[in-house]
Amino acid sequence: MRPAKTVSPLLWVPTGYFTMALGYVMLTSVTAIMFKNLGMDNGRAAQYSSLLILAYTVKPLFAPFVEMYRTKKFFVLCSQLAIGAGFAGVALLMELPGYMTFLMAIFFALSFIGATQDIASDGVYVTSLDARAQSLYCGIQSLSWNIGPIVAAGGMVYLSGYLHTHVFGHDPGVFGPDWIDAWRIIFLLVGGLTLLMALWHWRFMPEGARAADTPSSAKDAGRILVDAFVTLFQKRGVWRMIAFAFLFRFSVGLLEKIGPFFMVDPASKGGLGLSNEMLGLIYGTYGLAAVLVGSLLGGLYVAKRGLKSTLFVLCCAINIPNVAFLVMSIYTPSSLVLITLGVAIEKFFFGFGAVGFMIYLMQQLAPGKYTTTHYAFGTGLMGLCGMVTGVISGHLQEMMGYVAYFGLVMVATIPSFIATWYAPFYHDDGSTPAAGIDTDGKTVPA
């Protein structure tokens, strides 16, 4: 039985964005912790996991093909089924000798499948909901996406440590092959959860509207891709929009991999010496509560005052976590209360500030003839920023040490503020294009 077209967005928006985030974070962030547990240094662990962001960066190149066959919901379901099966396959491959080569190949394939899921899920959201509904559910969307990292980087990391220590009886302070047993179970669990989400979305997710010019062949899809890029660069102020999409989370990208490494590295290396269990517990409890509250308040704040008047404040918020890590690296607190407070500050302000990025892309960069493709282009730029900063972050940290590195991250906030200050607004908070403004190469009448 197919769901009614009037099904409440509350039945699919939260689960859709949670599932997107769960797969993305498992591939691009949690793998970094796994690599470190398995004995890699910070440079390689951050580099390998960051390279998996590539697919999310180039996803605009295959976004038109999502329009070509069946519906957006069809691609969501197929992607989630493949991701679930793929994670289960990873668990089996870890039993093989020389498994790392196979693992990276599977992870790389899953990243492209995950990027397809993102395109299709975003497409369902922006074509099934009007501008008013998008604004109404933006806080729920951001909150749900942020729960994914908490479950993955919090719950799953905690469980890996618990299994490693209490079930398999290994030393939590020793990194090496003994961690394989615990991580195999983690990937089986994530795979099973993703398959359950696919079943849920088969029942409740709407089909998603099709593009005005749906391709009927690969040639047409290629033509539309070219047209999508042409019309994107015809938008007024597009280069400032692109700069905003790339730079808004620039410092966040430098912090993303190194923050957890700092938590688990021993004091002899300048870290806090937390176990996987404690890291996951802090992120999955107080971190979860903080990001939930921050996302909800951020959404309400934007809904009440409008994006244009709040974007600079949101940029300030998303960069506050950098201060927390710099302070912790200087004083290296041993008190779990202080460490938890630092994490809570990080997650609250990240949740609060991240709302601005997603709404800006939806309401300023995406509107027009190719909404799905242009939105994918914006999120792809975010992925490119995360990949570039992630690849270099581990090597820089090893060269500089934690204190100097987090100081560098503070300096890296400057481009974020510049890009935010000059970000153009040509739509009235996304509801209607302003009169006379060029969108997708056409002038909107007054």
Side-chain angles (χ1 to χ4, degrees):
M1 179 179 178
R2 291 189 176 185
K5 293 184 179 179
T6 56
V7 64
S8 170
L10 289 175
L11 290 175
W12 57 270
V13 171
T15 54
Y17 279 87
F18 164 76
T19 309
M20 286 170 58
L22 180 66
Y24 176 80
V25 175
M26 285 298 300
L27 286 168
T28 63
S29 294
V30 176
T31 53
I33 297 293
M34 182 194 73
F35 292 149
K36 187 169 180 62
N37 287 160
L38 294 175
M40 283 190 186
D41 57 59
N42 286 1
R44 287 192 301 152
Q47 179 180 338
Y48 288 176
S49 62
S50 297
L51 288 174
L52 295 172
I53 304 175
L54 175 63
Y56 295 90
T57 300
V58 301
K59 64 184 180 182
L61 299 179
F62 51 93
F65 295 89
V66 176
E67 301 278 6
M68 186 173 162
Y69 300 107
R70 306 290 290 270
T71 64
K72 294 178 177 69
K73 176 181 177 179
F74 172 80
F75 279 93
V76 171
L77 298 181
C78 288
S79 298
Q80 290 174 354
L81 289 172
I83 291 169
F87 279 136
V90 165
L92 298 176
L93 285 172
M94 293 181 80
E95 283 291 304
L96 300 176
Y99 64 90
M100 189 58 69
T101 300
F102 300 107
L103 227 61
M104 287 303 298
I106 295 294
F107 284 150
F108 199 69
L110 287 178
S111 69
F112 278 90
I113 297 171
T116 302
Q117 176 193 202
D118 282 15
I119 294 167
S121 296
D122 285 334
V124 172
Y125 185 88
V126 299
T127 62
S128 298
L129 303 177
D130 57 25
R132 181 178 179 277
Q134 289 177 24
S135 296
L136 180 64
Y137 287 100
C138 69
I140 298 295
Q141 178 214 41
S142 180
L143 179 152
S144 303
W145 203 99
N146 284 318
I147 291 176
I150 297 300
V151 171
M156 295 301 168
V157 170
Y158 168 83
L159 186 57
S160 71
Y162 181 88
L163 292 170
H164 180 74
T165 304
H166 301 289
V167 175
F168 297 108
H170 300 306
D171 185 347
V174 177
F175 296 153
D178 286 344
W179 280 90
I180 290 177
D181 294 329
W183 281 107
R184 288 181 67 241
I185 294 178
I186 296 302
F187 283 111
L188 283 174
L189 287 174
V190 175
L193 180 57
T194 305
L195 292 175
L196 286 176
M197 289 295 98
L199 291 175
W200 178 267
H201 295 140
W202 171 77
R203 174 66 180 85
F204 292 108
M205 182 174 281
E207 299 292 333
R210 308 196 76 183
D213 187 12
T214 302
S216 57
S217 65
K219 182 178 180 181
D220 284 344
R223 175 186 58 79
I224 289 174
L225 177 61
V226 172
D227 191 38
F229 273 88
V230 170
T231 54
L232 173 69
F233 288 101
Q234 287 175 340
K235 290 183 177 183
R236 185 177 176 184
V238 65
W239 287 108
R240 284 187 288 156
M241 292 182 187
I242 289 174
F244 170 82
F246 184 85
L247 294 174
F248 183 75
R249 294 170 54 141
F250 185 74
S251 63
V252 175
L254 290 171
L255 191 64
E256 185 177 12
K257 301 293 188 301
I258 305 305
F261 290 173
F262 169 66
M263 294 285 184
V264 300
D265 259 338
S268 59
K269 293 185 176 181
L272 299 182
L274 298 183
S275 65
N276 276 30
E277 281 182 83
M278 191 54 63
L279 175 66
L281 183 62
I282 292 173
Y283 271 69
T285 53
Y286 296 100
L288 171 61
V291 79
L292 293 181
V293 174
S295 297
L296 284 174
L297 291 180
L300 291 173
Y301 179 63
V302 174
K304 182 178 181 180
R305 300 193 58 183
L307 181 61
K308 185 174 182 178
S309 62
T310 60
L311 190 59
F312 192 79
V313 174
L314 297 173
C315 182
C316 293
I318 205 170
N319 283 300
I320 286 177
N322 306 332
V323 181
F325 273 96
L326 178 60
V327 172
M328 285 194 292
S329 68
I330 293 173
Y331 293 101
T332 57
S334 58
S335 168
L336 290 177
V337 174
L338 294 178
I339 295 172
T340 301
L341 179 62
V343 171
I345 291 172
E346 173 206 357
K347 293 302 178 184
F348 174 84
F349 285 102
F350 176 80
F352 190 94
V355 172
F357 179 82
M358 307 308 292
I359 300 177
Y360 186 87
L361 295 188
M362 287 181 185
Q363 296 184 349
Q364 301 300 321
L365 184 65
K369 185 178 179 181
Y370 300 108
T371 299
T372 302
T373 304
H374 289 175
Y375 184 80
F377 184 85
T379 56
L381 285 168
M382 178 187 71
L384 177 63
C385 179
M387 184 180 73
V388 171
T389 53
V391 165
I392 65 174
S393 62
H395 298 292
L396 285 174
Q397 184 279 317
E398 288 188 313
M399 291 170 52
M400 303 174 67
Y402 281 113
V403 175
Y405 180 79
F406 289 133
L408 174 66
V409 173
M410 289 296 303
V411 175
T413 64
I414 296 173
S416 305
F417 285 108
I418 294 174
T420 301
W421 186 260
Y422 288 101
F425 282 83
Y426 296 128
H427 291 195
D428 299 331
D429 279 348
S431 56
T432 55
I437 296 303
D438 189 12
T439 60
D440 284 328
K442 299 179 178 65
T443 302
V444 179

